[in-house]
Amino acid sequence: MNEKRYYSLDKFYRTRYGSKVFKVSLDAGLTCPNKDGLKGKNGCIFCSGATGIGSAKDTLREQFDIVRANLYKKWPHAKCIPFLEANTNTYAPLNRLKSIYEELLGYENVVGLNIATRCDAITDEVYDYLEELNRKTDLTIELGLQSSFDETLKYLNRGHTKEEFTRCVNELKKRGIPVVVHIINGLPNETEEMMMETVHYVNSLKPSGIKFHMLYIEEGTALCEMFVQNPFPLLSKDEYIRIVCNQIAILDKDIVIHRLVSDPNAKKLVEPKWLTRKFEILNAIDTLLEGEKIVQGMKK
């Protein structure tokens, strides 16, 4: 596993493409049904409205060139995958989606496309188009689950249920489209057993990939207001590392791990401050996996 005790994204990319591949985070200027009134107006309680590296103030081409230029300084011969990260990137008329996706795929040295969206924001005609697009390029759909417990989803104001999420993943998989599932550890009122159960649920879906996140408090969110008014406990760094390692042990060995920890905006981060030391956390995860002789999927 490329000297890792888990199936890393870098290993997956190097095996598939024979070189380093990096994602170029972009904002296509789309909105979200949980913000524009279709499902809700306030969004998820942890959502700050912030975008990825790119900014919708710039064109997609400008965003792509800026981000790629910075990443090329480190990996000058790498291939690229545009990542529509901000908001809900299947939530627009089909013609607009087509123009966005196909523009990005026309850029040089691009080998695929990642699209972040919601499980309740893909129409039948968009499913059909995504299936067609997947035949032309390496398409990946990224879906925020966060938790497999409906009571937690309601608390987070997600605006969808576990059943809706299952239905969406099954529809995408039926069409041969790879899916990456996002989960959050340390959510209020969730025990470690519940966090493990969410990974068992992810295993049952058989997605192509997973992203692990740590709950954090960011300025400008409803969650921040709740935290300030009535502080609740957050996981310590050691607790988070141990939980992720235990989750890796039960995660199906064929699921690619795209992310092991959140990467918040340090200027807006309220708590936990330890999340700003990303590489320290990643190294600690590797150390604990090695020390405990944990390999991905060993306890599935």
Side-chain angles (χ1 to χ4, degrees):
M1 292 188 180
N2 200 26
E3 300 182 1
K4 296 289 186 182
R5 303 180 74 86
Y6 56 88
Y7 193 179
S8 71
L9 181 61
D10 186 64
K11 170 67 173 178
F12 172 77
Y13 280 159
R14 289 184 184 276
T15 300
R16 183 164 183 81
Y17 302 108
S19 70
K20 176 69 179 179
V21 177
F22 57 75
K23 294 181 187 178
V24 180
S25 180
L26 303 168
D27 184 343
L30 301 180
T31 184
C32 172
N34 204 21
K35 295 177 181 177
D36 72 359
L38 182 66
K39 299 298 291 281
K41 292 186 177 180
N42 299 317
C44 304
I45 62 172
F46 54 78
C47 181
S48 66
T51 65
I53 297 174
S55 169
K57 293 182 293 184
D58 300 318
T59 67
L60 285 173
R61 180 82 236 194
E62 289 169 339
Q63 293 179 55
F64 183 83
D65 287 344
I66 291 168
V67 177
R68 187 181 59 172
N70 288 330
L71 293 173
Y72 266 176
K73 293 176 184 177
K74 187 173 183 180
W75 301 295
H77 305 295
K79 295 179 173 64
C80 312
I81 294 181
F83 178 26
L84 292 167
E85 184 175 10
N87 289 310
T88 305
N89 293 286
T90 58
Y91 186 56
L94 182 58
N95 285 342
R96 184 177 180 191
L97 297 178
K98 284 183 177 182
S99 67
I100 292 170
Y101 303 163
E102 292 173 17
E103 175 185 342
L104 294 173
L105 291 173
Y107 295 167
E108 60 275 10
N109 217 21
V110 164
V111 294
L113 177 64
N114 277 39
I115 299 171
T117 188
R118 288 171 55 92
C119 67
D120 56 356
I122 309 178
T123 63
D124 288 342
E125 66 174 1
V126 172
Y127 274 121
D128 290 341
Y129 173 65
L130 293 176
E131 183 177 9
E132 175 187 331
L133 194 64
N134 190 48
R135 299 191 193 106
K136 301 177 183 178
T137 190
D138 284 347
L139 177 66
T140 299
I141 300 298
E142 300 204 15
L143 295 173
L145 168 65
Q146 321 316 353
S147 171
S148 62
F149 293 88
D150 280 332
E151 58 267 35
T152 301
L153 297 179
K154 185 175 181 180
Y155 175 86
L156 296 175
N157 196 40
R158 285 291 297 167
H160 67 76
T161 64
K162 175 182 175 181
E163 181 182 357
E164 288 176 285
F165 191 89
T166 303
R167 195 159 54 239
C168 176
V169 172
N170 288 340
E171 185 64 32
L172 290 166
K173 288 184 59 191
K174 182 179 74 176
R175 296 166 182 268
I177 301 170
V179 178
V180 174
V181 177
H182 294 226
I183 66 171
I184 298 177
N185 288 324
L187 291 167
N189 305 315
E190 287 210 347
T191 64
E192 183 171 343
E193 289 74 20
M194 293 170 74
M195 297 176 219
M196 297 301 146
E197 179 55 35
T198 290
V199 175
H200 283 301
Y201 167 68
V202 172
N203 279 340
S204 74
L205 297 173
K206 301 187 183 303
S208 63
I210 187 171
K211 283 186 176 179
F212 294 96
H213 298 267
M214 164 65 197
L215 180 71
Y216 59 87
I217 313 299
E218 190 169 271
E219 292 177 359
T221 64
L223 185 63
C224 183
E225 293 180 15
M226 296 161 66
F227 183 76
V228 169
Q229 293 173 8
N230 187 22
F232 49 82
L234 297 169
L235 295 177
S236 69
K237 182 179 72 171
D238 289 343
E239 287 173 327
Y240 180 80
I241 290 167
R242 177 178 52 78
I243 288 170
V244 167
C245 289
N246 289 338
Q247 289 172 320
I248 289 172
I250 64 175
L251 182 69
D252 191 306
K253 63 182 177 64
D254 295 324
I255 298 176
V256 180
I257 296 178
H258 287 232
R259 179 185 287 274
L260 280 169
V261 66
S262 307
D263 195 10
N265 183 334
K267 294 180 180 180
K268 293 185 176 182
L269 181 65
V270 176
E271 290 289 350
K273 298 296 187 182
W274 56 261
L275 267 179
T276 59
R277 304 191 297 274
K278 180 178 179 179
F279 291 105
E280 178 182 313
I281 299 163
L282 294 176
N283 289 336
I285 290 172
D286 285 341
T287 298
L288 186 57
L289 291 174
E290 179 67 30
E292 298 293 327
K293 300 295 187 286
I294 295 172
V295 178
Q296 182 175 334
M298 62 182 290
K299 294 182 180 179
K300 179 174 178 293

